[in-house]
Amino acid sequence: MEAAVQKQNTGQITLYRILFIIGFVHLLNDSIQAVIPAVFPILEKSMNLTYMQLGFITFSLQLTASLLQPAVGFYTDKKPMPYLLPIGLTCTFFGMLGLAFAPNYWIVLVSVFFVGIGSAVFHPEGSRVVHLAAGERKGLAQSIFQVGGNAGQSLAPIMTALIFVPMGQFGAIWFTLIAGMAVIVLLYIANWYKEKLDSRKKTSAKKAVVQVPAARKKQVKIGLMLLIFLVFARSWYHAAITNFYPFYLIHEHGLSISKTQLYIFIFLAAGAIGTFLGGPLSDRFGRRNIIAFSMLGSAPLAVILPYVNEFWAIPIMLINGFIILSSFSVVVVYAQELMPGKIGTASGLMVGLAFGLGALGSVVLGALADLFGLKPVMIACGFLPFIGMLSMLLPSDQKLKEWTS
């Protein structure tokens, strides 16, 4: 028994209880975020919004998360703040309350801004909790955490069909209850987090701080830039599918709003499975290999998607969602290993960057769709996964281990 306790204190045991709880809160948090694109078809009709205005709603949400996440992660790397987690979800609560009663476009933007603040706080601190509870199974632990988020995002089409189509914009009021539940659960996590930090402080003085050797800093910077570019390609493709492919199905194939949501649900649900399996697969086959597979494996299907009918689009969305999102948790762990000792900064960059680049993609793609039409934009987006060829230039897993050994 004493040996087991000692092993746990050294961080070798994977604490699945904590991982599943924080993964569940991630599901709650991201299901709330998924309300924003889910309500797009409703807002487009009720407020007469353009594609670009819809893109700016996503931009307001995701840019907030993108800018604040790395900043929160950088600060909490130096000074962890366990109770920042429930405070962040309290901001989300007020954001959803505002969205339910927003009388105009500008109040919608302010409301989603508050939801973005909650997300910016939750993700880097949630990733730190995962790192503390992961033991030696970093990939699996991050997958458990991230699959909660992807599962929450996959609920957006269901919410559109079951809540927003019959209830309209006011349906967002139900998600204040979800935010309140998340705050309560995060109080428990924050208490565990604080106890874990207190126990680590007693031994931290005896441990040397991990430093990246000066000769390798340039290689680390290049690797980080490549990783950012890969996240850019994945995020823009994800934005194209989740935000604009429903409109493509409506205009090109005459599908109803409710039917289009099935396609997005299939894509996101398959992506949640891919996210979960990607982590343990990267533990076995290497993180760089899974990152490369997630991009290049999806490229051929992404190219042909705009040319197929609504029947063949279903299996393509299923397979592509699984493949392209299999690297979602892997890039976070890879970045943490690339930047040892900077857990919050690395996860804030990768997750926050995914949000921010997706937001930028929503605005740019929306503007291009207004200018050139939706079909040419969807065809062009099919070539984004080919940027995955750059993954071969990333430092190998073995090299990362040598750098930190």
Side-chain angles (χ1 to χ4, degrees):
M1 179 63 122
E2 290 182 2
V5 172
Q6 184 177 2
K7 191 176 182 183
Q8 179 171 336
N9 287 339
T10 59
Q12 300 303 310
I13 286 182
T14 302
L15 303 178
Y16 290 100
R17 171 177 56 89
I18 298 299
L19 292 176
F20 284 123
I21 292 174
I22 194 69
F24 173 67
V25 178
H26 199 182
L27 184 150
L28 297 180
N29 179 81
D30 283 27
S31 67
I32 295 172
Q33 282 186 253
V35 168
I36 310 305
V39 80
F40 272 9
I42 306 301
L43 294 177
E44 184 204 22
K45 288 187 176 181
S46 64
M47 296 185 181
N48 297 317
L49 303 181
T50 66
Y51 289 135
M52 190 170 182
Q53 285 177 310
L54 293 174
F56 267 113
I57 293 174
T58 303
F59 186 76
S60 178
L61 170 70
Q62 310 293 30
L63 185 63
T64 305
S66 176
L67 289 177
L68 290 182
Q69 274 197 53
V72 170
F74 180 79
Y75 181 79
T76 55
D77 276 337
K78 299 177 180 295
K79 186 178 180 181
M81 302 176 66
Y83 292 99
L84 203 58
L85 283 165
I87 292 173
L89 265 293
T90 302
C91 290
T92 300
F93 173 90
F94 287 109
M96 293 312 300
L97 191 64
L99 180 62
F101 293 98
N104 56 54
Y105 176 66
W106 298 107
I107 300 300
V108 170
L109 288 179
V110 172
S111 298
V112 300
F113 177 83
F114 274 92
V115 176
I117 291 176
S119 176
V121 170
F122 174 76
H123 284 97
E125 283 299 273
S127 287
R128 193 187 310 281
V129 169
V130 171
H131 185 79
L132 290 172
E136 294 182 332
R137 308 197 68 180
K138 305 297 184 188
L140 174 62
Q142 194 63 227
S143 281
I144 292 172
F145 178 61
Q146 297 296 349
V147 77
N150 283 13
Q153 292 173 20
S154 71
L155 295 175
I158 296 176
M159 290 187 290
T160 299
L162 299 182
I163 298 177
F164 294 113
V165 169
M167 293 187 65
Q169 177 184 338
F170 183 72
I173 195 69
W174 288 102
F175 296 91
T176 59
L177 299 177
I178 294 178
M181 183 190 306
V183 170
I184 294 171
V185 176
L186 283 176
L187 286 171
Y188 170 79
I189 289 291
N191 287 330
W192 175 86
Y193 182 5
K194 185 176 183 301
E195 291 175 3
K196 190 73 172 178
L197 291 176
D198 290 341
S199 66
R200 285 199 162 197
K201 285 178 182 178
K202 297 176 182 179
T203 58
S204 61
K206 302 177 182 179
K207 297 181 180 180
V209 177
V210 178
Q211 295 289 344
V212 178
R216 296 170 185 154
K217 284 186 178 181
K218 185 176 180 180
Q219 291 175 289
V220 170
K221 288 180 181 178
I222 293 173
L224 189 59
M225 289 173 62
L226 289 171
L227 203 61
I228 288 171
F229 205 54
L230 292 169
V231 172
F232 153 80
R234 189 192 67 201
S235 298
W236 276 47
Y237 184 74
H238 189 275
I241 294 297
T242 56
N243 289 342
F244 298 110
Y245 192 63
F247 295 109
Y248 182 83
L249 290 170
I250 291 170
H251 296 157
E252 296 295 323
H253 301 293
L255 272 63
S256 66
I257 293 176
S258 296
K259 286 184 178 179
T260 63
Q261 299 309 303
L262 171 64
Y263 292 78
I264 307 305
F265 173 75
I266 289 172
F267 178 80
L268 294 175
I273 297 172
T275 296
F276 178 73
L277 294 179
L281 287 173
S282 74
D283 285 337
R284 181 170 182 180
F285 297 107
R287 316 220 192 276
R288 189 179 71 170
N289 291 337
I290 298 301
I291 292 171
F293 167 74
S294 75
M295 298 294 292
L296 297 178
S298 67
L301 294 174
V303 169
I304 67 172
L305 179 62
Y307 299 100
V308 301
N309 60 29
E310 61 269 27
F311 174 81
W312 287 107
I314 291 177
I316 290 176
M317 294 283 276
L318 178 70
I319 298 170
N320 235 15
F322 176 87
I323 295 176
I324 201 163
L325 288 177
S326 63
S327 66
F328 196 91
S329 62
V330 181
V331 295
V332 177
V333 180
Y334 186 93
Q336 291 173 348
E337 294 174 347
L338 189 65
M339 305 168 65
K342 299 181 180 178
I343 302 303
T345 304
S347 44
L349 276 173
M350 290 301 104
V351 181
L353 203 61
F355 287 144
L357 291 175
L360 181 60
S362 296
V363 175
V364 174
L365 294 177
L368 291 174
D370 286 335
L371 188 61
F372 299 108
L374 196 55
K375 188 171 183 177
V377 171
M378 294 305 302
I379 291 173
C381 286
F383 292 90
L384 284 171
F386 283 102
I387 293 176
M389 290 185 289
L390 293 175
S391 60
M392 293 296 98
L393 300 177
L394 289 170
S396 66
D397 292 60
Q398 183 60 37
K399 184 171 289 188
L400 292 184
K401 290 180 181 178
E402 292 173 0
W403 288 355
T404 56
S405 62

